[in-house]
Amino acid sequence: YSGLLRNSGDSLTQAQRDEYLSQLKIWTEKGEANFAETLSPTLAYEQSKIGYFYQLNGMARRTIADFTNHDYIPAEIALKKGLDIFTEGGAREGDYHMYSLNVFLNFHYAAMLAEVYGEKRKVEIQDLLSLIVHPPQAITGKYLAFNDFIKNEIGHDHDMHGHKKDIVRLGEIDPNFKQYIASKGWQ
């Protein structure tokens, strides 16, 4: 439903927009209600799934805020909970599995902050992006799906999900991120 809202532009009727938002809220809340009982954070793999679920929850909450009351606090709470999971799992120290999933969460969190607050939260945005721009030594040179994501989003003729706009906005706020993108040859 988030994708339908973001990708349909002005072609939606108000009734369609209201229905998609209603469904997005319902399914987001159902998902939240199941977090605690369906996942056990005792294994790193389970921790990464919990972190990923918080990322998706935060992204859904961002869409809800974009299309309703512009209250981004629920999105930020979800994204912070995901960051806590990944930090506990060793993402900043170089645990490859946790790191490779965490960079997506950092990107989406930074993108939301950039869209909503811009330069006012520049330091936080740069901190989130630092994990991408300056990966831990244990990660350097390893394959990262995130790099394919960025390359593909920049290379598309369209910006169906708004990620290209996020990438450009983040580059304007964080010169290190912009340089990172350029160093990979992605335009």
Side-chain angles (χ1 to χ4, degrees), residues 163-176:
H163 299 313
K164 187 184 296 189
K165 190 182 311 175
D166 286 337
I167 294 165
V168 170
R169 189 181 297 121
L170 290 170
E172 291 169 354
I173 292 174
D174 186 350
N176 291 324

Side-chain angles (χ1 to χ4, degrees), residues 91-140:
R92 288 202 177 258
E93 287 78 36
D95 177 291
Y96 174 76
H97 182 72
M98 296 298 273
Y99 174 85
S100 62
L101 289 169
N102 192 31
V103 293
F104 283 97
L105 189 144
N106 280 34
F107 170 80
H108 290 295
Y109 189 9
M112 185 198 73
L113 292 178
E115 175 192 10
V116 177
Y117 304 103
E119 293 283 332
K120 292 177 191 168
R121 294 191 59 187
K122 181 177 182 172
V123 172
E124 290 168 84
I125 293 166
Q126 288 176 323
D127 182 53
L128 289 164
L129 295 175
S130 71
L131 190 64
I132 298 165
V133 175
H134 306 291
Q137 187 63 35
I139 303 302
T140 303

